[in-house]
Amino acid sequence: MQVDVLDQRLVAALQVSPRASWGEIGRAVGEHERTVARRLQRLITDGVVRVTAIYDDLRTGHGRPVHLHVQVRPGTTAQVAKALADRADTRSVYSLTGAADLGCELVSPSREDLHRILSSQVSDIDGVLQTQTQVVLHTFRTVAEWHAPYLTEREVAELRPGPPADRLPDEEGLSPLEQEIAELLTADGRIAFTTVAERLDISVPTARRRVTSLIERRLLLPRAEVEPALLGLEVEAMLWLKVRPHGLDLVGQQLAAHPSVRYCAATTGTHSLIVQVVAAHEAALYRFMTGVVGRYDEITDVDLTLITRAYKRGHLHKSGLLTLERTP
């Protein structure tokens, strides 16, 4: 699969604003609308990019995100990964270096559901030897808010819909109509307002208003999913950090703002902060560790592992570097 420099810039623009028109992207990056449409449509058709949307699970009441470290019996990594990826409640599944063989993010509707999932369902998967669980307490950055570092500040500002709200309610929930709209957006993040209106038998102005409200309230986050390696970011790492409690919020916010950080959240467990980082090569990751992570005295310990393969991301199944699901 060939993804050249211009493709990478266009994908980065789509990551900044997944619902932007081809013309808006073209104006921001200085390319003709036809060029943008031809290239991005090809990448979407080929399974390189998939535009979808993810819930803010905590605020919409869908459940609590949980990260699992899974140790498996030798030779069973692929079959355990498939069993985890086939679960509707798992958002991401990937192979890791280090003590754990697999990492998995799932969303549990309740504490009782989490107990059942961990005590019987996951442990009953053939090949699973041991799991370690970290429950997300607060998310500083989601993968939907990250974009590849190939755009100027001016280009990003031109594409970005607007500044995020300063303070968001802890939980809002979705109305029945909002839930229906959200399901359409998670299937196709670029679905047109006219199509939403037609599918749900509502007016186009109502569809536009409700979709815009969901996104502006950040209950639903549009996302352009693409494997980082296709964007020239060959090294993907998971950092588990022990952070002194008084510095957790500061460190989380500052790391989340770094262009190499795709995801950052505070969790329960032996390490209080999980950070997903991408880099062009191992030397760049080393510089991130020494020059960025290393400058915080509040960080007392680091567990660094590499992601060697993704089986599922953002509820989308993967085959190598491509997404199996296509836009409906």
Side-chain angles (χ1 to χ4, degrees), residues 180 184 187-188 191-202 328:
E180 289 183 291
L184 292 178
D188 179 5
I191 190 171
F193 297 124
T194 53
T195 306
V196 172
E198 181 181 316
R199 298 266 184 91
L200 302 181
D201 194 24
I202 57 178

Side-chain angles (χ1 to χ4, degrees), residues 112-125:
E112 184 59 34
D113 287 317
L114 179 60
H115 174 75
R116 183 170 59 255
I117 291 167
L118 297 177
S119 62
S120 59
Q121 297 176 10
V122 172
S123 60
D124 283 350
I125 297 174

Side-chain angles (χ1 to χ4, degrees), residues 25-91:
I25 292 175
R27 286 190 294 275
V29 302
E31 294 292 335
H32 196 282
E33 179 178 352
R34 286 197 298 270
T35 300
V36 174
R38 184 180 70 252
R39 284 177 171 257
L40 284 178
Q41 200 58 62
R42 173 180 60 83
L43 294 175
I44 290 171
T45 301
D46 290 347
V48 173
V49 180
R50 170 76 189 275
V51 181
T52 178
I54 60 174
Y55 294 98
D56 184 325
D57 298 295
L58 291 171
R59 293 179 54 239
T60 57
H62 277 78
R64 294 292 185 268
V66 176
H67 291 275
L68 301 180
H69 273 169
V70 184
Q71 293 181 0
V72 305
R73 191 171 65 246
T76 64
T77 298
Q79 72 183 52
V80 174
K82 183 180 185 305
L84 289 170
D86 285 345
R87 293 180 58 93
D89 56 4
T90 58
R91 182 151 52 201

